[in-house]
Amino acid sequence: MKSKQFLAVSIMMLSLQTVHAQGHIKRAFNLLITDTSTKVESTQKLNKDPETGTKIGQLDVYEFTIPASHHNLVEDIKHAFDQDKEKAYSLTSTSTANKKSYNYTSLAVGGEDNGYPLGDMKNSRYIYALFLDPDDKSKTHRYAYAMEWCEGEKEIVGKLIITYATTQEHRRSKRQTRTININGQEIKIDGNSFSFGSGFPFDGSSVFDTDSLLSNRERSSESWLSEFNTYKNLFLKNPSGTAASHYATYIYKLCKNAKSLDDVEKKMVAQEIAKLKTSTKDDFIKELFLMSIKRLGK
């Protein structure tokens, strides 16, 4: 665990020129992280162009736990988002705890749509805002600031998240059409995006053959997690359906090649797979999930 002072400095030093755009949010993040009551752990990643040294991707995650009596720290961050919203080009929030088990979205990291999952804490709320990078004259990169939290009787558990990526408009302009095979039919999709939300037009019995598209390429941890989240959600839509074993097998296949994940990410995925195991009565699928967890531990 890094010192709270170092974590606070790392937030404020993202870019001195972004202070005016996200100043209130960053200061509120710092206040929560440095509060004496806060327990915090961080994960930080930074990618640069090897030739120019220009930043192309960034992911900072600060997982926190505070006493419920310090609820004002969360309220201060919510107020900070409101103060900075006029300078953001996008702001999204959930005002009440999710009625569903989970309510996912994803914050892009670098140049990929697949990014850091937001909404993966049960009964959580979240808020995030997007700001253009003032150092980027092409206006193709942005910072995302987010908070996800879950309130209990004794404590509040949550995450503060910062990502750096190209804008969604820029990613869309760079997309190329690719083809996957679904139930024997070729379907064209955007090559830079592979995620299925609640509006996905195929039912729970659809089987996806994605080897040519995804399985034979090197994944970033962000892309790996997004892909895992996709198949986890497909499985949960119908754990007893005919396609359930296919989704479980693909999750096992992912876990056999999880080198891009760090220990914290592997632990998080293992916990999610343990939850999947309780949702099925099929012994074969249960064994696949057990093997998946074991693979993550190697």
Side-chain angles (χ1 to χ4, degrees):
M1 183 189 301
K2 300 180 180 179
S3 69
K4 292 183 179 181
Q5 291 76 13
F6 181 84
L7 295 178
V9 170
S10 68
I11 291 178
M12 294 305 294
M13 291 302 292
L14 283 174
S15 172
L16 293 176
Q17 295 186 19
T18 65
V19 171
H20 296 298
Q22 305 108 46
H24 295 98
I25 294 173
K26 290 198 288 187
R27 282 192 289 271
F29 276 20
N30 282 341
L31 287 174
L32 186 149
I33 287 173
T34 58
D35 192 89
T36 55
S37 69
T38 304
K39 298 177 182 178
V40 61
E41 297 210 10
S42 71
T43 300
Q44 296 176 307
K45 297 182 179 180
L46 176 66
N47 292 325
K48 294 184 178 181
D49 185 302
E51 295 184 1
T52 65
T54 303
K55 178 167 62 178
I56 57 177
Q58 177 180 333
L59 171 65
D60 295 338
V61 181
Y62 305 88
E63 299 179 74
F64 67 84
T65 301
I66 59 175
S69 59
H70 286 62
H71 183 263
N72 62 294
L73 292 170
V74 170
E75 290 300 317
D76 288 345
I77 291 177
K78 291 165 62 179
H79 181 58
F81 273 97
D82 186 61
Q83 289 178 298
D84 286 338
K85 68 180 180 181
E86 293 302 323
K87 296 174 182 176
Y89 69 84
S90 178
L91 187 145
T92 301
S93 66
T94 58
S95 59
T96 58
N98 304 326
K99 294 181 179 179
K100 299 180 180 180
S101 295
Y102 299 95
N103 183 21
Y104 291 102
T105 188
S106 181
L107 296 176
V109 179
E112 300 182 2
D113 281 319
N114 296 334
Y116 188 84
L118 188 63
D120 61 345
M121 298 171 59
K122 188 176 181 179
N123 296 322
S124 68
R125 308 175 189 186
Y126 62 76
I127 182 170
Y128 68 90
L130 308 179
F131 302 85
L132 285 175
D133 176 9
D135 294 334
D136 180 12
K137 303 305 180 183
S138 67
K139 297 184 178 181
T140 59
H141 289 81
R142 60 94 180 119
Y143 284 96
Y145 289 79
M147 175 176 67
E148 179 178 359
W149 75 101
C150 182
E151 300 183 18
E153 293 183 4
K154 296 183 178 181
E155 62 184 21
I156 300 173
V157 178
K159 297 181 290 186
L160 304 179
I161 303 141
I162 303 168
T163 78
Y164 184 78
T166 52
T167 64
Q168 186 179 62
E169 182 179 354
H170 180 74
R171 295 193 301 275
R172 284 176 176 171
S173 69
K174 296 296 183 180
R175 285 175 181 164
Q176 298 177 351
T177 301
R178 298 187 185 182
T179 302
I180 62 174
N181 187 286
I182 302 180
N183 295 338
Q185 295 183 339
E186 289 189 348
I187 305 295
K188 294 185 180 298
I189 64 170
D190 288 332
N192 289 356
S193 177
F194 187 76
S195 59
F196 307 107
S198 58
F200 186 63
F202 301 95
D203 61 31
S205 64
S206 298
V207 176
F208 303 90
D209 177 11
T210 59
D211 284 351
S212 61
L213 175 63
L214 296 168
S215 298
N216 295 328
R217 63 174 171 82
E218 188 71 22
R219 296 177 181 83
S220 66
S221 62
E222 293 79 17
S223 177
W224 194 104
L225 289 170
S226 182
E227 199 171 328
F228 167 78
N229 189 45
T230 292
Y231 277 86
K232 183 190 74 172
N233 288 336
L234 287 169
F235 177 85
L236 288 174
K237 283 184 178 180
N238 191 2
S240 59
T242 57
S245 62
H246 175 81
Y247 302 143
T249 301
Y250 196 87
I251 288 173
Y252 173 63
K253 187 174 184 179
L254 281 173
C255 292
K256 287 172 65 178
N257 185 23
K259 295 179 181 179
S260 62
L261 303 185
D262 60 28
D263 291 341
V264 174
E265 292 164 336
K266 287 180 179 179
K267 181 179 179 181
M268 178 185 71
V269 172
Q271 290 173 342
E272 292 300 310
I273 295 175
K275 295 175 186 177
L276 291 178
K277 182 174 174 291
T278 64
S279 66
T280 182
K281 297 180 180 179
D282 188 290
D283 290 336
F284 174 74
I285 292 177
K286 287 183 178 180
E287 189 62 29
L288 274 178
F289 287 148
L290 282 174
M291 292 170 60
S292 298
I293 294 173
K294 290 179 181 178
R295 288 282 185 174
L296 290 170
K298 291 184 177 181

